[in-house]
């Protein structure tokens, strides 16, 4: 008799042309990911050729019960690392039956900004450093921490190795390989300063694809932690006290910044960001005030400052960018629970359109 694992891992490519497409969307909280699967008649690589679908928005906090239908528009396709074969993951955004984006659909507005000719010609690149914390499922306490207690102080855990320093590496490596398989431009991983906290980096990605890839990578991470029996938290300060928070540092450059003389363009862009500091902070994630305290490698939430190689600044410019006179900068303000569609498009809007 076949075991459950055997059936889960069945390769369908020899028996049918049909594939399974897992449609993914963002739920009512703006951070919860939802998904459901459907059968398609054949493999497909163009999201525009995929059928729209619908779901019950009253069950996700996105529509009233008397008018609950929400429509999914396929926007990006990734290979499915869980089902393998020709099966796919489909990143979608959500609309009313009349074709209006629902309030939690942040991709629609971002796509408008990225399709602006002034933005397109600058080919904006993003590299997003997504931090997260792995928690023990039943007690909601970081992985590797004693129940109800604390580990030794921070210091040995950042990029650390060993059973007493690195907790959850199997989940992290599984996620790394699954993202590469899916076609996500994941560029690295590392253990973070607080034990049980990790980071993966996505990019360089151009324009709207940065948001699509970060959301797809978050989805894959949640699915892997589901299998592993642990919980992933994107809370920007999961443990109060003398522990580092979790951010989503966003590295950014434009064609002009990458060309000769780009350092002057970078400084002008940073000046523009400073003028809209409050607006950016308001859009950079919930609970960020618990993280941006001026301690633990952050600038105070009420202060805007930038510096070269300064991890206590709002904006950090790398030493290599200063020396070469061109390159990129890092916005260190976004929280780990930020919406990458909002953050990436807002940076482009502020630096290129205002």
């Amino acid at each position: 008799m076949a075991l459950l694992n055997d059936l889960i891992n069945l390769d369908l490519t020899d028996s049918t042309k049909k594939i399974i497409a897992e449609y993914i969307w963002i739920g009512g909280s703006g951070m919860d990911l939802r998904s459901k699967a459907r059968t398609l008649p054949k493999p497909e690589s163009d999201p525009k050729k995929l059928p729209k679908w619908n779901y019950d928005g009253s069950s996700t906090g996105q529509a009233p019960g008397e008018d609950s239908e929400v429509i999914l528009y396929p926007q990006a396709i990734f290979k499915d690392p869980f089902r393998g074969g020709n099966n796919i993951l489909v990143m979608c955004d959500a609309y009313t039956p009349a074709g209006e984006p629902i309030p939690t659909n942040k991709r629609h507005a971002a796509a408008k900004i990225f399709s602006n000719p002034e933005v397109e010609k600058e080919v904006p690149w993003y590299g997003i450093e997504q931090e997260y914390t792995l928690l023990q499922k039943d007690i909601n306490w970081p992985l590797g921490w004693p129940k109800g207690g604390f580990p030794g102080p921070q210091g040995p855990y950042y990029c650390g190795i060993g059973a007493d320093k690195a907790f959850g590496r199997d989940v992290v490596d599984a996620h790394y390989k699954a993202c590469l398989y899916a076609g996500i431009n994941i560029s690295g991983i590392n253990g973070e300063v607080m034990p049980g906290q990790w980071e993966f980096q996505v990019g360089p990605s151009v324009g709207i694809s940065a948001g699509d890839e970060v959301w797809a990578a978050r989805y894959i991470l949640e699915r892997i932690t589901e299998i592993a029996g642990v919980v992933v938290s994107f809370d920007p300060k999961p443990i109060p006290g003398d522990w580092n928070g979790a951010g989503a540092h966003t590295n950014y450059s434009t064609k002009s910044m990458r060309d000769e003389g780009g350092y002057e363009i970078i400084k002008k862009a940073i000046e523009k960001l400073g003028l809209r500091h409050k607006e950016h902070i308001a859009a950079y994630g919930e609970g960020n005030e618990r993280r941006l305290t001026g301690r633990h490698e952050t600038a105070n939430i009420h202060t805007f400052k930038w510096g070269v190689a300064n991890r206590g600044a709002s904006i950090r410019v790398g030493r290599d960018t200063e020396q070469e006179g061109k390159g990129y900068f890092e916005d260190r303000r976004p929280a780990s629970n930020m919406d990458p569609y909002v953050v990436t498009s807002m940076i482009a809007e502020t630096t290129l359109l205002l």
Side-chain angles (χ1 to χ4, degrees):
M1 180 180 288
L3 298 174
L4 185 59
N5 240 20
D6 297 331
L7 297 172
I8 290 171
N9 294 320
L10 272 179
D11 185 354
L12 303 177
T13 50
D14 291 334
S15 56
T16 179
K17 289 182 180 178
K18 293 178 180 179
I19 66 161
I20 302 170
E22 189 80 26
Y23 279 45
I24 304 163
W25 70 96
I26 300 157
S29 73
M31 266 305 290
D32 59 314
L33 283 161
R34 310 288 180 121
S35 74
K36 61 177 183 171
R38 67 182 298 168
T39 305
L40 298 178
K42 62 182 177 63
E44 186 52 72
S45 58
D46 183 355
K48 293 188 177 79
K49 294 181 179 177
L50 293 177
K52 294 174 184 175
W53 206 6
N54 64 73
Y55 67 91
D56 171 17
S58 69
S59 296
T60 62
Q62 294 172 295
E66 64 273 11
D67 187 15
S68 65
E69 195 167 282
V70 180
I71 313 301
L72 293 171
Y73 287 32
Q75 299 291 359
I77 291 175
F78 302 94
K79 290 172 66 179
D80 187 339
F82 303 102
R83 296 189 175 104
N86 292 319
N87 302 302
I88 55 175
L89 305 177
V90 184
M91 199 67 222
C92 304
D93 59 354
Y95 296 79
T96 67
E100 294 296 319
I102 66 171
T104 51
N105 178 357
K106 306 303 181 184
R107 190 187 191 281
H108 180 78
K112 280 187 173 180
I113 290 170
F114 284 121
S115 63
N116 184 299
E118 294 299 309
V119 177
E120 280 189 329
K121 74 179 184 182
E122 283 291 342
V123 195
W125 288 3
Y126 296 91
I128 297 173
E129 306 170 28
Q130 175 68 70
E131 293 180 338
Y132 60 94
T133 308
L134 296 175
L135 305 176
Q136 302 167 59
K137 186 176 72 165
D138 297 325
I139 60 173
N140 222 35
W141 199 237
L143 204 62
W145 290 36
K147 291 183 180 180
F150 296 87
Q154 295 183 153
Y157 309 107
Y158 172 70
C159 298
I161 61 169
D164 58 341
K165 302 179 196 72
F167 311 113
R169 191 184 296 277
D170 52 348
V171 168
V172 175
D173 273 355
H175 176 250
Y176 196 173
K177 288 186 174 181
C179 285
L180 285 171
Y181 176 93
I184 292 167
N185 194 20
I186 187 170
S187 48
I189 56 101
N190 61 268
E192 269 303 330
V193 177
M194 189 183 85
Q197 191 181 84
W198 294 84
E199 172 184 300
F200 65 88
Q201 301 96 32
V202 170
S205 301
V206 179
I208 197 73
S209 65
D212 291 336
E213 292 185 10
V214 170
W215 275 115
R218 285 175 173 176
Y219 174 83
I220 291 171
L221 180 58
E222 291 231 42
R223 286 282 304 274
I224 290 171
T225 55
E226 173 189 323
I227 294 165
V230 297
V231 174
V232 59
S233 169
F234 293 104
D235 190 290
K237 187 74 174 179
I239 305 296
D242 196 16
W243 304 98
N244 273 37
H249 300 159
T250 301
N251 299 276
Y252 171 70
S253 72
T254 63
K255 185 178 182 301
S256 298
M257 294 175 191
R258 297 187 292 270
D259 288 344
E260 294 301 322
Y263 193 36
E264 292 306 311
I265 306 295
I266 287 171
K267 287 192 282 188
K268 288 176 184 174
I270 293 172
E271 186 180 343
K272 289 181 178 181
L273 288 168
L275 294 174
R276 295 190 77 205
H277 177 62
K278 285 184 179 178
E279 292 92 332
H280 279 256
I281 287 294
Y284 273 16
E286 294 292 324
N288 213 7
E289 71 283 351
R290 293 182 282 118
R291 168 181 161 261
L292 297 180
T293 61
R295 299 181 64 216
H296 305 112
E297 302 181 59
T298 69
N300 187 282
I301 195 168
H302 302 296
T303 305
F304 181 88
K305 62 179 181 178
W306 74 277
V308 176
N310 183 358
R311 283 181 161 76
S314 313
I315 305 289
R316 180 184 70 87
V317 173
R319 189 71 67 191
D320 54 348
T321 294
E322 180 191 42
Q323 290 171 350
E324 293 174 16
K326 60 183 179 181
Y328 70 97
F329 64 81
E330 174 192 47
D331 191 338
R332 297 178 61 80
R333 296 171 296 172
S336 50
N337 60 2
M338 63 81 156
D339 187 324
Y341 293 133
V342 173
V343 169
T344 56
S345 62
M346 195 172 192
I347 291 172
E349 180 184 46
T350 297
T351 59
L352 296 173
L353 299 178
L354 298 179

